[in-house]
Amino acid sequence: MNSKQRTQRPLPELDELQRLIKRGGSQLDVSVLTEVIDGTQRYPLHAIRLGNPDPQAPVLLLCGGIHGVERIGTQLLLAQLDALLARLHWDQGLQQDLEHIRLVFCPLLNPAGMARGSRANAKGIDLMRNAPHNAEQPGAWPLSGHRIGAWLPWYRGALDEPMQPESAALCTLVNREIGCARFCLSLDCHSGFGMRDRLWFPYAGSTRPLEQLSEIQTLMELYEGANPHHRYLLEPQCHQYRTHGDLWDHLYHQHLLRHAARKGPIPVFLPLTLELGSWLWVRKNLRQITSFTGLFNPLVPHRQRRILRHHNSLFEFLIRAVRSWQQWLPEGSARDIQQQRALQRWYKDEHP
Ligand SMILES: [Zn+2]
Protein backbone atom coordinates (compact mmCIF):
# COMPACT_ATOMS: atom_id res chain seq x y z
CA MET A 1 0.00 0.00 0.00
CA ASN A 2 1.69 3.22 -1.02
CA SER A 3 1.66 6.39 1.02
CA LYS A 4 -0.51 8.28 -1.49
CA GLN A 5 -3.35 5.79 -1.09
CA ARG A 6 -3.05 5.90 2.69
CA THR A 7 -3.28 9.68 2.82
CA GLN A 8 -6.56 9.47 0.91
CA ARG A 9 -8.13 7.40 3.63
CA PRO A 10 -6.23 7.31 6.91
CA LEU A 11 -6.61 4.24 9.05
CA PRO A 12 -4.65 4.81 12.29
CA GLU A 13 -5.73 1.42 13.69
CA LEU A 14 -3.93 -0.35 10.82
CA ASP A 15 -0.86 1.83 11.39
CA GLU A 16 -0.89 0.87 15.07
CA LEU A 17 -1.37 -2.82 14.25
CA GLN A 18 1.58 -2.76 11.87
CA ARG A 19 3.68 -0.96 14.49
CA LEU A 20 2.86 -3.70 17.02
CA ILE A 21 3.65 -6.44 14.48
CA LYS A 22 7.04 -4.85 13.91
CA ARG A 23 7.65 -4.49 17.62
CA GLY A 24 6.67 -8.10 18.35
CA GLY A 25 9.10 -9.38 15.72
CA SER A 26 9.78 -13.10 15.94
CA GLN A 27 7.61 -13.51 19.04
CA LEU A 28 4.57 -13.21 16.78
CA ASP A 29 3.40 -15.51 14.03
CA VAL A 30 1.76 -13.08 11.62
CA SER A 31 -0.28 -13.99 8.56
CA VAL A 32 -2.27 -12.00 6.05
CA LEU A 33 -5.59 -13.85 5.73
CA THR A 34 -6.68 -11.91 2.67
CA GLU A 35 -6.32 -8.55 1.05
CA VAL A 36 -9.42 -6.40 1.16
CA ILE A 37 -9.81 -4.28 -1.97
CA ASP A 38 -11.78 -1.04 -2.03
CA GLY A 39 -11.37 0.71 -5.39
CA THR A 40 -7.70 1.60 -5.69
CA GLN A 41 -7.02 0.84 -2.03
CA ARG A 42 -5.87 -2.47 -0.63
CA TYR A 43 -5.84 -3.44 3.03
CA PRO A 44 -4.18 -6.50 4.57
CA LEU A 45 -6.36 -8.50 6.94
CA HIS A 46 -3.92 -9.63 9.62
CA ALA A 47 -4.05 -12.51 12.07
CA ILE A 48 -1.46 -12.69 14.82
CA ARG A 49 -0.67 -15.79 16.81
CA LEU A 50 1.47 -16.08 19.88
CA GLY A 51 2.04 -18.91 22.28
CA ASN A 52 1.82 -22.65 21.76
CA PRO A 53 1.45 -23.51 18.02
CA ASP A 54 0.36 -27.13 18.70
CA PRO A 55 -3.01 -27.55 16.92
CA GLN A 56 -4.36 -29.29 20.04
CA ALA A 57 -3.37 -26.46 22.42
CA PRO A 58 -6.25 -24.55 23.99
CA VAL A 59 -6.98 -21.29 22.19
CA LEU A 60 -8.16 -17.81 23.05
CA LEU A 61 -9.34 -15.96 19.93
CA LEU A 62 -9.73 -12.19 20.09
CA CYS A 63 -11.51 -10.43 17.23
CA GLY A 64 -12.72 -6.92 16.55
CA GLY A 65 -13.56 -4.30 13.99
CA ILE A 66 -16.00 -6.40 11.99
CA HIS A 67 -18.32 -3.40 12.03
CA GLY A 68 -16.09 -0.68 10.67
CA VAL A 69 -17.63 2.16 12.61
CA GLU A 70 -17.03 0.42 15.95
CA ARG A 71 -13.40 1.47 16.22
CA ILE A 72 -13.21 1.15 19.99
CA GLY A 73 -13.33 -2.69 19.77
CA THR A 74 -10.24 -2.71 17.56
CA GLN A 75 -8.53 -0.15 19.78
CA LEU A 76 -9.26 -2.27 22.83
CA LEU A 77 -7.58 -5.31 21.28
CA LEU A 78 -4.61 -3.27 20.07
CA ALA A 79 -4.16 -1.96 23.62
CA GLN A 80 -4.24 -5.53 24.94
CA LEU A 81 -1.69 -6.69 22.39
CA ASP A 82 0.50 -3.69 23.20
CA ALA A 83 0.39 -4.55 26.91
CA LEU A 84 1.16 -8.23 26.27
CA LEU A 85 4.19 -7.32 24.20
CA ALA A 86 5.42 -5.06 27.00
CA ARG A 87 5.18 -7.96 29.48
CA LEU A 88 6.46 -10.81 27.35
CA HIS A 89 10.17 -10.39 28.06
CA TRP A 90 9.89 -10.34 31.87
CA ASP A 91 6.56 -11.82 33.03
CA GLN A 92 7.27 -15.47 33.81
CA GLY A 93 3.61 -16.17 34.53
CA LEU A 94 2.64 -14.95 31.09
CA GLN A 95 5.52 -16.83 29.49
CA GLN A 96 4.36 -20.04 31.17
CA ASP A 97 0.76 -19.43 30.13
CA LEU A 98 1.88 -19.07 26.53
CA GLU A 99 3.78 -22.34 26.69
CA HIS A 100 0.39 -23.98 27.17
CA ILE A 101 -2.10 -21.85 25.27
CA ARG A 102 -2.30 -20.00 21.98
CA LEU A 103 -3.58 -16.45 21.64
CA VAL A 104 -4.92 -15.46 18.25
CA PHE A 105 -5.65 -11.80 17.51
CA CYS A 106 -7.67 -10.64 14.53
CA PRO A 107 -8.37 -7.08 15.61
CA LEU A 108 -9.23 -5.34 12.34
CA LEU A 109 -11.65 -7.52 10.42
CA ASN A 110 -13.21 -4.84 8.27
CA PRO A 111 -10.42 -2.40 7.38
CA ALA A 112 -12.18 -0.92 4.35
CA GLY A 113 -15.31 -0.26 6.40
CA MET A 114 -13.28 1.32 9.18
CA ALA A 115 -11.41 3.54 6.75
CA ARG A 116 -14.76 4.63 5.31
CA GLY A 117 -16.30 5.08 8.76
CA SER A 118 -19.08 2.66 7.89
CA ARG A 119 -20.57 -0.35 9.67
CA ALA A 120 -20.64 -2.46 6.51
CA ASN A 121 -17.72 -3.43 4.30
CA ALA A 122 -16.88 -1.54 1.10
CA LYS A 123 -19.69 -3.33 -0.75
CA GLY A 124 -22.26 -2.27 1.81
CA ILE A 125 -22.60 -5.75 3.33
CA ASP A 126 -22.98 -6.20 7.07
CA LEU A 127 -20.41 -8.90 7.78
CA MET A 128 -22.18 -10.00 10.97
CA ARG A 129 -25.26 -10.87 8.85
CA ASN A 130 -23.22 -12.49 6.09
CA ALA A 131 -23.16 -16.18 7.10
CA PRO A 132 -25.35 -18.37 4.87
CA HIS A 133 -27.81 -19.70 7.46
CA ASN A 134 -31.11 -18.12 8.39
CA ALA A 135 -32.23 -17.42 11.95
CA GLU A 136 -34.57 -20.03 13.42
CA GLN A 137 -36.57 -17.22 15.02
CA PRO A 138 -35.65 -13.99 13.27
CA GLY A 139 -36.10 -10.72 15.13
CA ALA A 140 -37.39 -7.38 13.88
CA TRP A 141 -36.83 -6.55 10.22
CA PRO A 142 -34.57 -5.05 8.83
CA LEU A 143 -32.22 -5.19 11.86
CA SER A 144 -32.35 -8.97 11.67
CA GLY A 145 -30.69 -8.83 8.25
CA HIS A 146 -32.18 -8.71 4.74
CA ARG A 147 -31.33 -9.19 1.08
CA ILE A 148 -33.03 -6.09 -0.35
CA GLY A 149 -29.96 -4.04 -1.14
CA ALA A 150 -26.87 -2.34 0.23
CA TRP A 151 -28.68 1.00 0.50
CA LEU A 152 -30.46 -0.29 3.59
CA PRO A 153 -28.36 -1.10 6.72
CA TRP A 154 -27.95 -4.73 7.85
CA TYR A 155 -27.73 -6.02 4.26
CA ARG A 156 -26.70 -9.69 4.17
CA GLY A 157 -25.55 -9.75 0.53
CA ALA A 158 -27.26 -11.47 -2.40
CA LEU A 159 -28.60 -14.98 -1.84
CA ASP A 160 -26.32 -16.81 -4.25
CA GLU A 161 -23.23 -14.75 -3.57
CA PRO A 162 -20.38 -16.41 -1.65
CA MET A 163 -19.45 -14.99 1.73
CA GLN A 164 -17.51 -11.75 1.63
CA PRO A 165 -13.69 -12.08 1.75
CA GLU A 166 -13.59 -10.66 5.29
CA SER A 167 -16.24 -13.09 6.64
CA ALA A 168 -14.72 -16.03 4.77
CA ALA A 169 -11.27 -15.13 6.13
CA LEU A 170 -12.59 -15.12 9.70
CA CYS A 171 -14.27 -18.50 9.21
CA THR A 172 -11.10 -20.00 7.71
CA LEU A 173 -9.05 -18.63 10.59
CA VAL A 174 -11.39 -19.87 13.31
CA ASN A 175 -11.86 -23.30 11.76
CA ARG A 176 -8.11 -23.65 11.34
CA GLU A 177 -7.28 -22.53 14.87
CA ILE A 178 -9.92 -24.52 16.72
CA GLY A 179 -10.26 -27.53 14.38
CA CYS A 180 -8.08 -29.76 16.59
CA ALA A 181 -7.95 -27.61 19.75
CA ARG A 182 -9.06 -29.29 22.96
CA PHE A 183 -10.69 -26.10 24.24
CA CYS A 184 -11.45 -22.70 22.76
CA LEU A 185 -12.82 -19.38 23.95
CA SER A 186 -13.38 -16.45 21.65
CA LEU A 187 -14.26 -12.83 22.25
CA ASP A 188 -15.54 -10.59 19.46
CA CYS A 189 -15.52 -6.90 20.40
CA HIS A 190 -18.36 -4.59 19.33
CA SER A 191 -19.93 -1.34 20.48
CA GLY A 192 -23.12 0.61 20.01
CA PHE A 193 -25.88 -1.21 21.86
CA GLY A 194 -27.44 -0.19 25.16
CA MET A 195 -26.39 1.61 28.32
CA ARG A 196 -24.35 -1.22 29.81
CA ASP A 197 -21.46 -3.38 28.67
CA ARG A 198 -22.66 -6.84 27.82
CA LEU A 199 -21.08 -10.24 27.44
CA TRP A 200 -23.17 -12.24 25.02
CA PHE A 201 -23.10 -15.88 24.09
CA PRO A 202 -24.95 -17.64 21.22
CA TYR A 203 -27.42 -18.00 19.84
CA ALA A 204 -28.06 -14.83 17.88
CA GLY A 205 -30.59 -16.50 15.61
CA SER A 206 -32.48 -18.73 18.01
CA THR A 207 -33.91 -18.66 21.52
CA ARG A 208 -32.92 -22.26 22.16
CA PRO A 209 -30.08 -22.94 24.60
CA LEU A 210 -26.54 -23.45 23.40
CA GLU A 211 -25.40 -27.08 23.34
CA GLN A 212 -22.56 -26.24 25.73
CA LEU A 213 -24.68 -24.15 28.06
CA SER A 214 -23.44 -25.77 31.27
CA GLU A 215 -19.90 -24.74 30.32
CA ILE A 216 -21.10 -21.17 29.70
CA GLN A 217 -22.83 -21.16 33.09
CA THR A 218 -19.69 -22.39 34.81
CA LEU A 219 -17.48 -19.86 33.03
CA MET A 220 -19.82 -17.02 33.99
CA GLU A 221 -19.90 -18.17 37.63
CA LEU A 222 -16.11 -18.26 37.67
CA TYR A 223 -15.99 -14.74 36.30
CA GLU A 224 -18.55 -13.46 38.79
CA GLY A 225 -16.69 -15.13 41.65
CA ALA A 226 -13.34 -13.67 40.59
CA ASN A 227 -14.81 -10.20 39.89
CA PRO A 228 -17.68 -9.70 42.35
CA HIS A 229 -18.07 -6.02 41.46
CA HIS A 230 -18.03 -6.41 37.70
CA ARG A 231 -20.63 -4.52 35.68
CA TYR A 232 -21.22 -6.69 32.63
CA LEU A 233 -24.64 -7.95 31.79
CA LEU A 234 -24.20 -11.64 31.01
CA GLU A 235 -26.83 -13.08 28.69
CA PRO A 236 -27.56 -14.94 25.46
CA GLN A 237 -27.58 -12.54 22.53
CA CYS A 238 -31.13 -13.56 21.57
CA HIS A 239 -32.41 -11.76 24.67
CA GLN A 240 -31.69 -8.44 22.94
CA TYR A 241 -32.24 -9.10 19.24
CA ARG A 242 -32.12 -12.01 16.82
CA THR A 243 -30.41 -11.97 13.46
CA HIS A 244 -29.86 -13.99 10.31
CA GLY A 245 -26.38 -14.88 9.20
CA ASP A 246 -24.51 -14.40 12.48
CA LEU A 247 -20.92 -15.55 11.95
CA TRP A 248 -20.51 -16.98 15.46
CA ASP A 249 -23.71 -19.01 15.22
CA HIS A 250 -22.39 -20.28 11.90
CA LEU A 251 -18.94 -21.11 13.28
CA TYR A 252 -20.46 -22.86 16.28
CA HIS A 253 -22.65 -25.01 14.00
CA GLN A 254 -19.61 -25.88 11.91
CA HIS A 255 -17.75 -26.85 15.08
CA LEU A 256 -20.57 -29.19 16.16
CA LEU A 257 -20.86 -30.73 12.70
CA ARG A 258 -17.11 -31.24 12.36
CA HIS A 259 -16.91 -33.16 15.61
CA ALA A 260 -20.16 -35.06 15.08
CA ALA A 261 -18.59 -36.41 11.87
CA ARG A 262 -15.51 -37.48 13.83
CA LYS A 263 -17.76 -39.27 16.32
CA GLY A 264 -15.59 -38.28 19.31
CA PRO A 265 -16.44 -36.00 22.22
CA ILE A 266 -17.10 -32.44 21.14
CA PRO A 267 -14.42 -30.08 22.50
CA VAL A 268 -15.76 -27.01 24.24
CA PHE A 269 -15.93 -23.88 22.10
CA LEU A 270 -17.50 -20.84 23.75
CA PRO A 271 -17.83 -17.85 21.40
CA LEU A 272 -18.46 -14.68 23.40
CA THR A 273 -19.26 -11.19 22.20
CA LEU A 274 -18.31 -8.07 24.13
CA GLU A 275 -20.85 -5.38 23.31
CA LEU A 276 -19.76 -2.05 24.75
CA GLY A 277 -22.73 0.05 25.82
CA SER A 278 -22.05 3.27 23.98
CA TRP A 279 -25.40 4.91 24.75
CA LEU A 280 -23.99 5.87 28.14
CA TRP A 281 -21.15 7.75 26.47
CA VAL A 282 -23.71 9.56 24.33
CA ARG A 283 -25.79 10.50 27.36
CA LYS A 284 -22.75 11.92 29.11
CA ASN A 285 -21.64 13.85 26.05
CA LEU A 286 -24.60 14.91 23.94
CA ARG A 287 -22.34 16.23 21.19
CA GLN A 288 -21.89 12.61 20.20
CA ILE A 289 -25.42 12.44 18.83
CA THR A 290 -24.39 14.72 15.99
CA SER A 291 -21.58 12.37 15.02
CA PHE A 292 -22.21 8.94 13.50
CA THR A 293 -18.83 7.80 14.79
CA GLY A 294 -19.77 9.17 18.19
CA LEU A 295 -22.70 6.79 18.47
CA PHE A 296 -20.28 3.89 18.56
CA ASN A 297 -17.08 5.30 20.03
CA PRO A 298 -16.02 7.54 22.89
CA LEU A 299 -15.02 10.96 21.56
CA VAL A 300 -13.56 12.35 24.77
CA PRO A 301 -9.95 11.20 25.37
CA HIS A 302 -10.34 10.51 29.10
CA ARG A 303 -13.36 8.31 28.38
CA GLN A 304 -11.48 6.41 25.70
CA ARG A 305 -8.59 5.78 28.11
CA ARG A 306 -11.01 4.62 30.78
CA ILE A 307 -12.62 2.14 28.38
CA LEU A 308 -9.24 0.84 27.24
CA ARG A 309 -8.24 0.01 30.83
CA HIS A 310 -11.70 -0.93 32.13
CA HIS A 311 -11.67 -4.37 30.49
CA ASN A 312 -8.17 -5.48 31.54
CA SER A 313 -9.52 -7.84 34.19
CA LEU A 314 -11.80 -9.51 31.63
CA PHE A 315 -8.91 -10.23 29.25
CA GLU A 316 -6.75 -11.46 32.13
CA PHE A 317 -9.58 -13.72 33.26
CA LEU A 318 -10.05 -15.18 29.79
CA ILE A 319 -6.36 -16.06 29.57
CA ARG A 320 -6.55 -17.73 33.01
CA ALA A 321 -9.74 -19.60 32.08
CA VAL A 322 -8.18 -20.98 28.89
CA ARG A 323 -4.93 -21.87 30.67
CA SER A 324 -6.80 -23.77 33.41
CA TRP A 325 -9.71 -25.15 31.40
CA GLN A 326 -9.25 -28.69 32.68
CA GLN A 327 -9.66 -27.46 36.27
CA TRP A 328 -13.13 -26.07 35.87
CA LEU A 329 -15.09 -27.78 33.09
CA PRO A 330 -18.11 -29.49 34.68
CA GLU A 331 -18.44 -33.24 34.19
CA GLY A 332 -21.07 -35.88 34.85
CA SER A 333 -23.79 -34.84 37.28
CA ALA A 334 -22.13 -31.43 37.82
CA ARG A 335 -22.77 -30.74 34.17
CA ASP A 336 -26.48 -31.53 34.57
CA ILE A 337 -26.72 -29.25 37.60
CA GLN A 338 -25.06 -26.40 35.73
CA GLN A 339 -27.40 -26.95 32.82
CA GLN A 340 -30.42 -26.60 35.11
CA ARG A 341 -29.01 -23.48 36.73
CA ALA A 342 -28.45 -21.91 33.32
CA LEU A 343 -31.94 -22.80 32.11
CA GLN A 344 -33.39 -21.20 35.24
CA ARG A 345 -31.24 -18.13 34.84
CA TRP A 346 -31.68 -17.38 31.15
CA TYR A 347 -34.34 -19.54 29.56
CA LYS A 348 -37.23 -19.59 32.01
CA ASP A 349 -39.60 -18.15 29.43
CA GLU A 350 -38.63 -20.63 26.74
CA HIS A 351 -38.26 -23.60 29.14
CA PRO A 352 -40.48 -22.90 32.14
ZN1 LIG B 1 -21.01 -4.52 15.99
Side-chain angles (χ1 to χ4, degrees), residues 265-277:
I266 298 177
V268 172
F269 169 35
L270 305 177
L272 306 178
T273 294
L274 172 62
E275 182 73 43
L276 299 172

Side-chain angles (χ1 to χ4, degrees), residues 15-81:
D15 296 338
E16 173 65 2
L17 177 57
Q18 290 176 329
R19 184 187 73 78
L20 293 173
I21 288 171
K22 204 168 166 190
R23 177 177 162 203
S26 61
Q27 300 173 104
L28 305 178
D29 174 9
V30 181
S31 55
V32 175
L33 303 177
T34 188
E35 216 177 25
V36 178
I37 298 169
D38 181 8
T40 59
Q41 308 204 30
R42 306 169 83 89
Y43 304 94
L45 208 166
H46 290 292
I48 298 167
R49 309 196 317 165
L50 61 164
N52 189 336
D54 182 344
Q56 293 194 344
V59 176
L60 175 60
L61 268 161
L62 298 166
C63 306
I66 202 152
H67 290 139
V69 72
E70 301 168 15
R71 312 187 90 107
I72 188 68
T74 296
Q75 293 165 4
L76 188 56
L77 293 180
L78 294 174
Q80 290 301 318
L81 182 58

Side-chain angles (χ1 to χ4, degrees), residues 128 133 135-137 174 178 184-188 190 198-217 219-220 233-243 245-256 268-275 339 342-343 346-347 350-351:
M128 203 36 84
H133 72 276
E136 292 169 21
Q137 294 132 309
V174 174
I178 74 167
C184 180
L185 272 183
S186 65
L187 185 74
D188 185 19
H190 291 250
R198 290 156 198 270
L199 269 178
W200 280 337
F201 55 89
Y203 286 103
S206 170
T207 57
R208 73 184 160 82
L210 192 71
E211 281 74 356
Q212 292 169 326
L213 184 65
S214 43
E215 286 77 8
I216 284 281
Q217 169 72 18
L219 182 75
M220 296 300 179
L233 203 58
L234 312 172
E235 59 185 359
Q237 184 177 339
C238 64
H239 278 196
Q240 296 308 325
Y241 54 84
R242 294 185 303 282
T243 61
D246 181 273
L247 290 173
W248 296 107
D249 279 15
H250 176 66
L251 285 162
Y252 191 72
H253 286 141
Q254 288 191 318
H255 173 74
L256 297 181
V268 172
F269 169 35
L270 305 177
L272 306 178
T273 294
L274 172 62
E275 182 73 43
Q339 178 84 7
L343 290 175
W346 287 303
Y347 297 93
E350 292 85 3
H351 300 265

